[in-house]
Amino acid sequence: MRFTVAIDGPAAAGKGTISRKVAEHFGFAHLDTGLIYRATGARVLDGQDPLKAAAFLRAEDLDRDDLRTPEVADAASRIAAVPEVRDALINFQRDFAGRDGGAVLDGRDIGTVICPDADVKLFVTASPEIRAERRYQELSAKGLDVTRDGVLEDVNARDARDAARAAAPMKAAEDAVMIDTSELSIDDAVAAAIKQIEAVRNKTT
Ligand code: DC
């Protein structure tokens, strides 16, 4: 059985948590595509050429423990604007999406470019202030030296770059369902996503 769920949206909107929980609920595999860009960005910060970093990315690169830092997030967003880097990462993502047993992919261009025929497309968003506050809590809990204002600035700069780039910009697919998590608990946001997926599954099975 092939069943693909595409979940896109800006930084720290909750798409990672929603994707993980949705995948668990349905027994689908989950790919956080941001990690691929982060791992490529981390290699570039190590001094590698961006194209080579993307083309020769290995599974172990996704296990690096520095991938969640603001520096790597920024590098990821920069190299993600290079069309050849994105091209080098397409097949891995499409193969994952087509696997048997169902797949959830979260990112910025899953519903628009990677899986335009996904069975379900969700666009998860929240106000910039709420997203920055969540990211601030997450990073400071990990012991990183960050400030609320600094995180808000980083999140806004990254979203502006991700949305404005010419290659596969972050945007909702025309047939995506919007989920605004600003006023939702995680459980309510996950329930909203599951409801959308159930509705499609009931129609197709
Ligand atoms: O989801 P994230 O914050 O881990 O993503 C890090 C960066 O990677 C993000 O700022 C833009 C880029 N990215 C992308 O361009 N396309 C994707 N499908 C996923 C992430």
Side-chain angles (χ1 to χ4, degrees), residues 92-132:
F92 180 81
Q93 297 174 80
R94 289 203 176 133
D95 287 349
F96 191 96
R99 62 165 53 199
D100 207 29
V104 180
L105 283 82
D106 73 280
R108 303 291 188 292
D109 63 338
I110 308 302
T112 49
V113 174
I114 303 296
C115 305
D117 298 327
D119 298 278
V120 179
K121 296 181 188 177
L122 305 176
F123 195 85
V124 178
T125 184
S127 74
E129 290 73 21
I130 286 184
R131 291 188 289 110

Side-chain angles (χ1 to χ4, degrees), residues 7-12 15-16 32-38 67-68 72-81 86 93 106-110 114 135 158-159 161-162 165 167-170:
I7 304 187
D8 291 304
K15 57 185 191 310
D32 169 359
T33 65
L35 267 192
I36 303 176
Y37 289 91
R38 284 174 184 258
L67 297 186
R68 295 285 168 204
V72 170
D74 184 67
S77 169
R78 289 177 190 279
I79 55 96
R86 305 196 70 85
Q93 297 174 80
D106 73 280
R108 303 291 188 292
D109 63 338
I110 308 302
I114 303 296
R135 187 48 54 91
R158 198 145 66 85
D159 287 343
R161 194 188 301 125
D162 293 343
R165 68 181 178 224
M170 165 175 73

Side-chain angles (χ1 to χ4, degrees), residues 154-179:
D154 284 353
V155 161
N156 281 339
R158 198 145 66 85
D159 287 343
R161 194 188 301 125
D162 293 343
R165 68 181 178 224
M170 165 175 73
K171 68 167 185 241
E174 273 176 22
D175 49 350
V177 173
M178 304 292 279
I179 298 181

